[in-house]
Amino acid sequence: MITVFIQKLINISTKYLSMKNNIFIKLLGLAFTALLLVFVGCNKDDLVKLDAEMATWKNDGITSTSVELGGIVVAEGDGISEYGVVWGTTENPTTADSKKVADNVEKAVYWVTIDGLEHLSTYHYRAYAITDGGTTLYGKDDVFTTLAHKPTIIISNEATDITDITANIAANVPYDGKALVTAKGICWSTEENPTVENTFTDEGEGMGEFTSALTNLKAKTVYYARAYATNSIGTVYSTQITFTTLVGIATVETGTASAKATTAQVTGNVIYNGGLPISERGICYGKTENPTIADGKVTNTGDEGEFTVDLTGLETSTTYHARAYAINSEGVAYGAEVLFSTFPTTMYINGSFVPGWTWTNDAVLEMIPVHSNPHLFWKIAWFDSGAELKFNSVRDWNGTEFGKTGGTADANGVWNKGGDNIPVEAAGYKMVVVNLLANTIQVTDPVIYAQGSAFGNWNGGEFLFTPDVADAKILVSPAAVADDNARMYVTATTLTNTDSDPVDWWQAEFSVLAGKIEYRGTGNDLAGAPITTGQKVKLNFSTESGIFE
């Protein structure tokens, strides 16, 4: 009997030592010591049998609908016929509430799995045991809270309002799983079981019915679609439905447009042929919005894919509208329109030096075109410090005026074309270059060279004009070394042709004829300007005059 009782004490010690609760371990140690002393001091007939006792252990594995609950057999007393766990929504549940009977006890501890619980709900639970004598014992009351659940999502049986490129699908979130639905919608793909990693709509938060409009579809194509809903627990998907878009017109995209004086180049792309062969594609254009093939058009052979067309015979200084188009047996499809403007034949400078910035004022400056380079204009003029400049191809505030963008010009005084006024920091002569191909405006110190036999050779870039020491508004050439005609030209880093190479000197040439500065511009070769040995050319761009002396 002594041996049996010691063994039971050892078993109880083992049971408690297997637990993680330090309080139970300490209590067990004290109880074991006391009982051992009693046992040692007693005879066989003096042994005390422990009363049956239960303790609530812990919970684990909580989900939205289930939990694992545990109990401890502290002492078996005269015997236990049933043990398990009871639970309910109020404190100290009993076997009259919900209960689950444990199958077996392992090292004094047992676990039961409870299913069918309500989402995001707090429950009370206790371990219990029923002795052989019919007494029900309970452990201490404890609580746990189930998690929220994934929402419920239902999709309609079929898509509606199907066209070649659109469809509507209805769905419903009838239950949010007791957590806010943060996103819901329809996801779709040409592959089965689409997810939000594919194309999807976002119909906002919360429960309820919604209808999603699917757009940018391809004609004559089978699509797979599922509704989805997301809360803090995760994303769930409905069953999958399929639908097929109708045959339709093509899907077309207009690309970029770049223009010159009387020509332009426009790109397009037939993204999808609508499920039918393309009989014609190209670019249509005109001077009004949204041109059609009834206006001007240039065709390009091919079906799907990118293409480029060249437009010719355009008017200078004109804004055009252009759209890509494609035709199949269902009709004509158009891309969005793009605007481009051909290079103008004139360019003007307005600014703070013009009273009231009025375009009709005589102070407005007309720029010089560059021969064979309709994208280039230049002008040398005297500006006061702090002057501001604007440009337009017509003398009007008509919305096509321009200036610069950005806060700082580059090292060569080059600004990108934009809408802001261009500042002139220091007073003096400035050479202004507008390059419509590069979309730049350059404001820099003028660089002028004399050229030809009168000055020694035709090499170029040698005989530089410099300011007169007595009058900064007078620019002076080196002295002529022979009797011949004086030839002069300007240069700048942005005076470049369509290949981005510097223009030829004669394309930016000017001369002095009858005391007046004359510019070649787009015209023929200038008349000869005789100069004699030892004479210098003196230019005054403020008065547009010059002399040889």
Side-chain angles (χ1 to χ4, degrees):
M1 181 63 181
I2 294 174
T3 302
V4 173
F5 187 73
I6 292 174
Q7 184 61 51
K8 280 192 173 286
L9 290 177
I10 292 173
N11 289 343
I12 293 173
S13 300
T14 302
K15 295 172 187 176
Y16 277 102
L17 288 173
S18 66
M19 296 187 297
K20 297 179 182 178
N21 191 322
N22 291 331
I23 296 175
F24 281 132
I25 294 174
K26 292 176 182 178
L27 290 173
L28 176 62
L30 292 172
F32 180 77
T33 302
L35 289 172
L36 186 60
L37 290 173
V38 171
F39 168 74
V40 171
C42 296
N43 294 322
K44 174 180 177 182
D45 295 334
D46 296 330
L47 291 177
V48 178
K49 186 176 293 185
L50 297 175
D51 292 333
E53 185 178 350
M54 295 300 301
T56 300
W57 177 217
K58 65 177 182 178
N59 60 69
D60 199 5
I62 298 174
T63 71
S64 60
T65 59
S66 64
V67 66
E68 292 182 359
L69 302 176
I72 298 174
V73 181
V74 177
E76 295 183 0
D78 291 327
I80 296 175
S81 61
E82 178 181 306
Y83 41 80
V85 176
V86 294
W87 71 93
T89 56
T90 57
E91 282 190 80
N92 298 318
T94 69
T95 54
D97 297 300
S98 300
K99 73 172 186 177
K100 183 73 175 283
V101 178
D103 293 331
N104 66 297
V105 178
E106 182 177 353
K107 295 183 178 178
V109 177
Y110 60 87
W111 291 92
V112 296
T113 299
I114 309 301
D115 296 307
L117 302 175
E118 180 62 31
H119 314 148
L120 202 65
S121 298
T122 298
Y123 289 90
H124 295 260
Y125 73 98
R126 295 195 292 176
Y128 80 92
I130 300 176
T131 67
D132 288 342
T135 301
T136 301
L137 308 172
Y138 294 98
K140 183 180 179 181
D141 182 88
D142 203 350
V143 296
F144 67 89
T145 301
T146 54
L147 305 179
H149 197 62
K150 291 181 180 179
T152 302
I153 182 72
I154 302 170
I155 194 170
S156 61
N157 292 329
E158 58 184 23
T160 60
D161 302 320
I162 300 171
T163 71
D164 55 331
I165 57 173
T166 62
N168 291 336
I169 298 179
N172 184 27
V173 181
Y175 180 60
D176 60 5
K178 290 194 174 180
L180 175 66
V181 172
T182 56
K184 61 187 177 185
I186 302 294
C187 51
W188 70 93
S189 172
T190 55
E191 303 292 332
E192 291 197 46
N193 298 316
T195 69
V196 290
E197 298 297 320
N198 302 110
T199 310
F200 66 94
T201 63
D202 186 351
E203 303 296 344
E205 300 180 342
M207 296 186 293
E209 298 177 348
F210 62 89
T211 298
S212 286
L214 282 54
T215 60
N216 297 320
L217 306 178
K218 288 186 176 182
K220 200 179 177 181
T221 301
V222 175
Y223 283 95
Y224 300 89
R226 295 197 294 177
Y228 75 91
T230 301
N231 67 6
S232 58
I233 303 303
T235 298
V236 293
Y237 297 93
S238 70
T239 55
Q240 177 178 274
I241 66 171
T242 65
F243 65 94
T244 303
T245 50
L246 306 178
V247 172
I249 61 174
T251 302
V252 185
E253 181 179 68
T254 309
T256 59
S258 59
K260 296 183 180 179
T262 58
T263 63
Q265 194 172 76
V266 186
T267 63
N269 185 14
V270 180
I271 298 173
Y272 186 61
N273 63 11
L276 296 166
I278 297 296
S279 58
E280 181 181 306
R281 69 178 186 177
I283 300 293
C284 57
Y285 63 98
K287 297 179 184 178
T288 57
E289 291 184 358
N290 298 319
T292 69
I293 56 175
D295 302 305
K297 69 174 182 177
V298 176
T299 62
N300 178 276
T301 58
D303 192 77
E304 293 181 336
E306 298 177 350
F307 62 91
T308 302
V309 302
D310 293 313
L311 309 181
T312 60
L314 305 176
E315 298 178 20
T316 59
S317 193
T318 302
T319 297
Y320 286 90
H321 303 253
R323 295 198 290 176
Y325 74 91
I327 304 174
N328 64 14
S329 59
E330 287 292 307
V332 184
Y334 294 97
E337 74 169 19
V338 294
L339 275 66
F340 66 88
S341 297
T342 52
F343 295 149
T345 56
T346 56
M347 185 64 63
Y348 301 93
I349 306 176
N350 201 340
S352 55
F353 61 91
V354 178
W357 290 68
T358 305
W359 283 104
T360 56
N361 193 286
D362 290 341
V364 171
L365 301 174
E366 183 173 359
M367 301 186 75
I368 314 304
V370 177
H371 199 288
S372 306
N373 290 272
H375 61 287
L376 292 174
F377 297 87
W378 68 275
K379 184 68 177 179
I380 294 175
W382 185 276
F383 296 107
D384 293 331
S385 175
E388 294 186 328
L389 312 179
K390 266 292 179 56
F391 304 84
N392 204 350
S393 60
V394 294
R395 298 171 71 110
D396 189 16
W397 296 109
N398 65 346
T400 61
E401 64 276 359
F402 62 91
K404 57 92 174 177
T405 186
T408 306
D410 72 7
N412 294 314
V414 179
W415 300 89
N416 289 321
K417 187 178 176 184
D420 298 329
N421 296 340
I422 292 181
V424 177
E425 295 183 358
Y429 277 129
K430 295 297 176 183
M431 179 158 173
V432 182
V433 179
V434 171
N435 187 325
L436 296 175
L437 192 62
N439 282 321
T440 59
I441 304 98
Q442 184 175 20
V443 180
T444 186
D445 295 332
V447 179
I448 306 171
Y449 290 105
Q451 176 84 318
S453 300
F455 296 94
N457 62 60
W458 295 84
N459 295 336
E462 294 186 17
F463 310 114
L464 180 67
F465 280 73
T466 57
D468 185 81
V469 294
D471 187 351
K473 289 189 176 181
I474 304 297
L475 302 179
V476 183
S477 74
V481 297
D483 296 346
D484 207 325
N485 289 317
R487 308 291 290 266
M488 293 153 276
Y489 69 95
V490 295
T491 185
T493 59
T494 58
L495 274 178
T496 53
N497 59 26
T498 54
D499 295 324
S500 299
D501 296 324
V503 299
D504 290 335
W505 69 271
W506 59 268
Q507 294 173 326
E509 182 186 11
F510 66 95
S511 187
V512 175
L513 302 174
K516 182 176 176 58
I517 298 175
E518 299 286 351
Y519 303 96
R520 178 167 186 170
T522 59
N524 295 324
D525 199 0
L526 294 167
I531 189 171
T532 60
T533 302
Q535 284 188 321
K536 297 180 180 181
V537 183
K538 295 185 177 181
L539 304 172
N540 187 329
F541 286 95
S542 293
T543 59
E544 291 288 317
S545 62
I547 58 173
F548 298 161
E549 65 175 23

